[in-house]
Structures are given as structure tokens and as C-alpha cells.
Amino acid sequence: MDAHSRGQAGDDIDPADQWVLNPQTGNYELRLDHSAGQPAAPRTGAPRGDSGRSPRTGADTDSGNESDADGSVPRSRSESRSESRSESRQGSRSGSRSGRGGSGAERAEVPAQRSRRAGKGQPPETAAGRRKRKAKKSGKKKVLLWTGGTLAFLLVAGSAGGYLYYEHLNNNITAFDVGTGDKAVANDRAMNILIIGTDKRTGKGNEGYGDAGSVGHADTNFLLHISKDRTNATALSIPRDLVTGIPDCETRQPDGSSTVIPGTPQSDFNPRFNQSLGQDDRDPGCTMATVKELTGLTVDHFLMADFNAVKTLTTAVGGVDICLAKDVHDKDSHLNLPAGEHNVQGEQALAFVRTRHSFGNEGDLDRIKVQQQFLASLMRKMQSKGTLTSPSKVFSLAEAATKALTVDSGIGTVGKLQDLAMELKDINPKNISFLTLPVVDNPAEGTNHATVVINEAQAKPLFAMLQNDTSLTEVKKKEAAAKDAQNDALKGPKAAAADVRIDVYNGGGPAGSAQETLAWLQNDKGAPKTTNKGNAPANVDKTTLEYAPNQADQARAVADWMGLPGSALKKGTEDAEGLEAMTLTLGKDFKGAGVPITGPAKAPEGVQKVEADKQVCAK
């Protein structure tokens, strides 16, 4: 179910040889004359030739626009906008700002062009009383920098020109319809992305690692939770050997039809989490459904990569820095390195993330920790100045990443991935945490220890934190201050229970939640003036309490009883009159009467955690 045919156009493009830096604009521009390493020639204002390339650089001068009336190809958007502004200031033209409608010979030269043509290195001429135009600063390109499981993902956004290359990248991407459709990337709420590393042994670069012909499993899994305010993220590792139920899942077939693959309850055959992919024709949508049943979090999108992705991506970025606390000679993964710091890429990088019997207790949980450390280092490398300012690395990464990825159709184009980039680009590594789902050895196996089961006491608070969008890392001070301002609503006197009046609606909680809450408020909290109003007009994600200014003390009492955050309190503008009650709407985050809505402020003790901004030596 490849969403795009593998295109022929542009297949032989070497990105590092196709782009040059324009010192006048600070942008990288596409060059198709294959003369890598040659400096851009000065532009003279002469007419463009039939080839459609600018005499200045020989570059393709547009990113998909139609030809000019005289048959010449329009200039790149950034070039056209820049020159039309100069022409307007000089009074040499009064036509279109885009530069269309006339040949290149008819376009007046701006002073900067005359200065460059003369080659005298003199500043451009300016009319008296007019300010000189400042050259654009060349800033970092906007890119998506993300990693997870066995992949890293980087795409260029906002560069001038390059339509053919853009389509080439589009044709690299493999997309699956997993039933989520083409829904847009969320920009107004928290977002969850499932990152899957599959151990399939088919396809280019995946053979020769044992288990020949295997369709693969969900071998390495990260549920990446991105906060609503986009200041922090948590990557929750889910062990492949976790015993958990796999629900029924609907899969799309090549002919456009769909079929439901029956699930496997935990009590029947004790299926492992990794069987949610590949086995019984399950696709990534089945793994997404399994994650939702396990954590209570809806997965918005998935990204999946195989062995070959690790090799190509680490090579494209110039290697990943790792640290070993001891010598490693692993006969299974073929990793052979002495203690100390190393830079690994290609086969050596793959061997590092596959090594299990040389670290910790030689189990999968210790390998997960090593993979988290590796990915954190990869993220730091990709965000480093040396990577972002290198055109060869940027475009090699774009090429490798789009070929390595399999994604859902909702983010199955470069444009949609670019939208995702804009949502993630500002998250600092210090605000990204890698955690491992708390588990214990499966008691049903005795001393075998082949599988694990969830540690409910530690996992439930962790799930509550993610469901309530609670950061596990340091966040920007201004964001913390805003959160404190919300919590100010919780400060102050609280009304006596007998004086609290509440109308309770069920807007997304389990069936019977309104009646259950009514009984709990009346019997356990001593608030008899409570009414069950049944179902709300519409379902909501979050529980809310609407109150009037003169009911603030009542609202604080209810918030205290139910563990409501300050953001759940919705203060009205007019005072309540007479016996008017507050409105409590139970949302999808409601888990039961007496269960606090807010999750804990920090992760439970003992949860395995790696912070993305810190170097740790594997041992």
C-alpha cells in the first residue's frame, strides 16, 4: 500500500551537488547544471535562454510556476520578491512585483546588480536620502529534527525553488492508510506519535541478520507525547516482550477494501506487544490500537523504520557519538569496540542498537536504555551547528530519511511532514525525556524471565501524567508562570459541603459516570445539593467546572475533592442568582468518582529515565 509510485524524475539527483548558497539572500538555491563546486556567476540582466536556467547560476529558477509569456522561466520566489522590491524603490518599473509579464531584457537592473557586474567590490549605488537595503542574514533552515526507535527524521522547509527535488522526496515516502485518513497535524492540542522500529528481514539492507524472510515485529517502540504548548516531550518505551492484549483492528487492503483482524486477549495466549505488527497480517494501525488500549492515549500518527534506516541515517548525519563504560565484543550483534568514546555509523551503529548481551543484565530492558542514550545523542548531533549549516548533510538527511520512513497517510507527503516540523522545531533536548514503561517479570514463567507484565502501581500514575499533559522535564519559565496563574484559581477559602450546588453532566466519561459522581458527592463528600443532569450536549476531552464569580469558594471545594487542575475551572462574568448551581461536565479524562483528574506532578520512583541533553556511557 505504497501511497506514491516510485517516481523516475529526479532519481539520480545528488542533493549535495544541486544546491548553492546565494550570498545575497542567505538561501540555498537549486542548481541543475551539475557543476558542483563552481561559484555562482554574476547575474547581468541579460535575457534568459531557452534552457530555462538563469545566466547567473544555471539554476532552475522556479519551484513549479508556469513559464513567462516570452517562454522564459520565472525566477525563484525569494529572488523575484527581493528584486521587485528594489525595482519599486528605484522607480524603474511599475509592473508586477513577481517580475512576470516581460522578458529578462526588459527588466531594469537594480544598483546592486550593476555593482556585481562591474566586479569592483563597491557598495551598490543609492539615491540621495534613501536607505541602503540590508543584506539578509543567513539563519538556520527550518527543519524537522526527530528521532525514535531506529530512525531519525529531517526535512527541509521553506527553501527557495526545488520543485523537482520536492517531488522526488515525495516519491521516496511510503505511506499506509491505517484508518485515520488525511487528518491534519494537530496544532491546538497535545499530540501522540508512535515510532516503530521493525526487525523485518526483507527489503534492501535488511537481509543477513538471521530469521531470514521474517515480515518483522514491533521490535522497538516509542510513544512520543508532545505537549500542547510544544515546550516539552516524553518518549515512552514499550518493551517488545510485554504481555498484553491485542484488540481487533481494521486494516486496509490494496484494492481499497478493509478487513477486521481478530484480536488476541491477554488471558488466552498471552500475546507479546511485538505481535501487534506483522503477525496475522497486522499493520501499524493494529499497533496504534494496542497502544491506545494499553495507555488510554489516542495515537495520532506513526513513523516506522527498519534496520536499513539506522545505517543510512547515521551515515547521512556523519555518525553518532556514543560512550562505552567497558570493552564490548558481542558475537551476536558483531559490535567490537574498546571502552571510551566513539563515533559510529552504518553497520556499526546498527550493531550498537541491536546489542543486548553486553549491557546490564543482558536483557531487552537494558538494551532499551542503550537505545534511548543512542537516540538522545543522535538528536544532539542533528541539532548541532555543524549539521544544520552543512547543505550536504541537510539534503543527504532529507534523502535518507524520506526513503527510510514508512508513515500513515495523514503525514504521507513532504508538505504534511513539514507541518509536523513546524510543531516540533522549538523543543529543546533538555525538555525531552525518555522513559521505559514500568514492568515486572511475568510471574507465570517462574525463573524463565522471557516476558514481562505491566507494573500497575507505577504505570497508572505515569499514564495519568501523559493523559493530563504533565511535563517530566524542566520547561520554559514563562510557561511555568502561566501554569501558576491558572492554579491561582485554586487558592482561597472553600465553601462548606452543605452549601455546594452542582449540576453534573456526563460529557465523555464511562456510562453511568454522572450518577456515580452524584452518589459520591452526596454520600462521601456530604454535598446533598447535587443533581444528575444526564448526558452533556456534546462529548469533551477534559472535565470542566463552570461557576459564577460569587461561587468561587464552592468551585475550590469541588476542585479539591476531585483533584481538578486550575485549567478545568471556567469562571463566568456574572454572579449567580438564587439557587443557581455550578455546572460540572465529566470529560474523557474522568476515570471514576474519587479518582483525581490531575496526574501526579512527577514520575513515580524507580521508573527508568534518560534525559536527551545528557551524555551517558553504556555499561
Side-chain angles (χ1 to χ4, degrees), residues 80-228:
S80 297
R81 286 196 296 268
S82 174
E83 291 183 16
S84 62
R85 286 195 291 268
S86 294
E87 291 162 357
S88 176
R89 286 197 292 269
Q90 296 299 325
S92 59
R93 283 195 61 183
S94 58
S96 168
R97 292 180 62 85
S98 67
R100 295 184 182 175
S103 70
E106 295 170 339
R107 298 183 178 113
E109 295 178 43
V110 297
Q113 294 171 324
R114 292 199 292 270
S115 174
R116 289 195 299 272
R117 186 184 68 240
K120 296 178 181 180
Q122 300 298 320
E125 301 167 13
T126 55
R130 290 178 180 158
R131 293 180 296 180
K132 297 179 182 178
R133 182 178 61 179
K134 293 182 179 179
K136 276 188 180 179
K137 295 181 179 179
S138 58
K140 291 182 179 178
K141 289 295 178 183
K142 293 178 180 178
V143 292
L144 171 59
L145 304 168
W146 210 259
T147 57
T150 54
L151 65 88
F153 172 42
L154 182 149
L155 282 174
V156 176
S159 60
Y163 174 77
L164 289 178
Y165 189 59
Y166 179 93
E167 286 302 301
H168 170 72
L169 292 179
N170 260 340
N171 290 331
N172 282 346
I173 301 171
T174 301
F176 275 94
D177 179 3
V178 292
T180 57
D182 295 333
K183 68 178 183 179
V185 173
N187 58 13
D188 58 351
R189 59 179 174 80
M191 185 164 43
N192 298 301
I193 301 174
L194 180 60
I195 302 170
I196 307 170
T198 175
D199 60 351
K200 71 174 185 176
R201 266 70 169 186
T202 59
K204 180 180 178 182
N206 296 314
E207 304 91 347
Y209 299 101
D211 200 13
S214 171
V215 296
H217 308 74
D219 192 58
T220 301
N221 310 278
F222 288 84
L223 177 61
L224 183 65
H225 175 82
I226 300 104
S227 67
K228 179 180 179 180

Side-chain angles (χ1 to χ4, degrees), residues 194 238 242 244-249 263-264 271-277 282-297 299:
L194 180 60
I238 302 175
L242 173 70
T244 185
I246 300 174
D248 296 347
C249 60
T264 307
R272 304 185 189 194
F273 182 90
N274 68 349
Q275 294 174 290
S276 64
L277 175 70
R282 293 184 176 114
D283 66 16
C286 299
T287 310
M288 294 167 70
T290 303
V291 170
K292 181 176 181 180
E293 184 167 282
L294 177 67
T295 68
L297 291 160
V299 181

Side-chain angles (χ1 to χ4, degrees), residues 321-608:
D321 297 326
I322 64 169
C323 180
L324 299 175
K326 61 181 181 180
D327 296 347
V328 174
H329 301 285
D330 193 291
K331 63 181 179 63
D332 294 315
S333 71
H334 305 296
L335 180 68
N336 294 290
L337 288 173
E341 296 183 357
H342 303 276
N343 181 277
V344 295
Q345 59 181 282
E347 289 286 354
Q348 199 171 51
L350 178 61
F352 180 76
V353 297
R354 292 186 67 226
T355 296
R356 179 176 59 177
H357 300 299
S358 296
F359 302 122
N361 294 321
E362 301 187 9
D364 190 53
L365 295 181
D366 289 293
R367 177 166 60 177
I368 286 174
K369 186 186 299 184
V370 169
Q371 290 173 343
Q372 292 171 342
Q373 294 163 358
F374 176 84
L375 293 171
S377 179
L378 178 58
M379 293 171 66
R380 294 193 298 271
K381 180 66 175 287
M382 293 177 70
Q383 286 189 329
S384 68
K385 183 178 179 181
T387 298
L388 294 182
T389 58
S390 168
S392 67
K393 286 185 180 179
V394 166
F395 290 100
S396 292
L397 274 168
E399 185 78 15
T402 51
K403 285 182 178 178
L405 287 173
T406 298
V407 301
D408 64 276
S409 55
I411 52 174
T413 67
V414 173
K416 292 174 182 176
L417 290 170
Q418 179 178 315
D419 292 339
L420 184 61
M422 294 300 98
E423 294 300 313
L424 308 178
K425 66 185 179 66
D426 292 329
I427 302 179
N428 191 301
K430 73 177 182 179
N431 289 329
I432 302 174
S433 287
F434 290 92
L435 281 81
T436 303
L437 178 67
V439 295
V440 295
D441 290 329
N442 187 353
E445 293 178 334
T447 58
N448 187 25
H449 297 170
T451 61
V452 293
V453 295
I454 194 169
N455 182 336
E456 297 283 354
Q458 290 186 330
K460 284 187 175 180
L462 191 56
F463 294 155
M465 292 185 72
L466 297 177
Q467 292 162 4
N468 288 281
D469 200 23
T470 303
S471 172
L472 281 80
T473 60
E474 177 185 348
V475 296
K476 297 177 182 177
K477 290 182 179 180
K478 66 178 182 180
E479 300 295 341
K483 192 171 291 187
D484 288 343
Q486 285 184 335
N487 290 332
D488 284 345
L490 303 175
K491 300 174 183 176
K494 301 176 180 65
D499 297 329
V500 174
R501 296 179 180 275
I502 318 167
D503 288 339
V504 183
Y505 292 85
N506 186 3
S513 291
Q515 182 59 39
E516 179 188 358
T517 301
L518 170 72
W520 178 73
L521 288 170
Q522 290 182 341
N523 300 327
D524 289 48
K525 295 301 174 183
K529 299 171 184 176
T530 304
T531 305
N532 175 7
K533 293 292 187 178
N535 292 330
N539 282 353
V540 294
D541 291 329
K542 301 290 185 180
T543 297
T544 59
L545 179 64
E546 300 173 56
Y547 65 99
N550 61 342
Q551 295 173 324
D553 58 344
Q554 297 182 49
R556 285 190 287 266
V558 176
D560 182 57
W561 298 338
M562 298 187 64
L564 294 175
S567 58
L569 273 58
K570 308 299 180 183
K571 183 179 178 180
T573 57
E574 298 181 1
D575 283 347
E577 298 181 358
L579 303 179
E580 187 177 347
M582 298 182 294
T583 299
L584 174 64
T585 304
L586 306 175
K588 295 177 182 178
D589 58 349
F590 180 79
K591 300 298 186 294
V595 179
I597 297 295
T598 21
K602 62 179 182 179
E605 292 293 331
V607 174
Q608 181 173 297

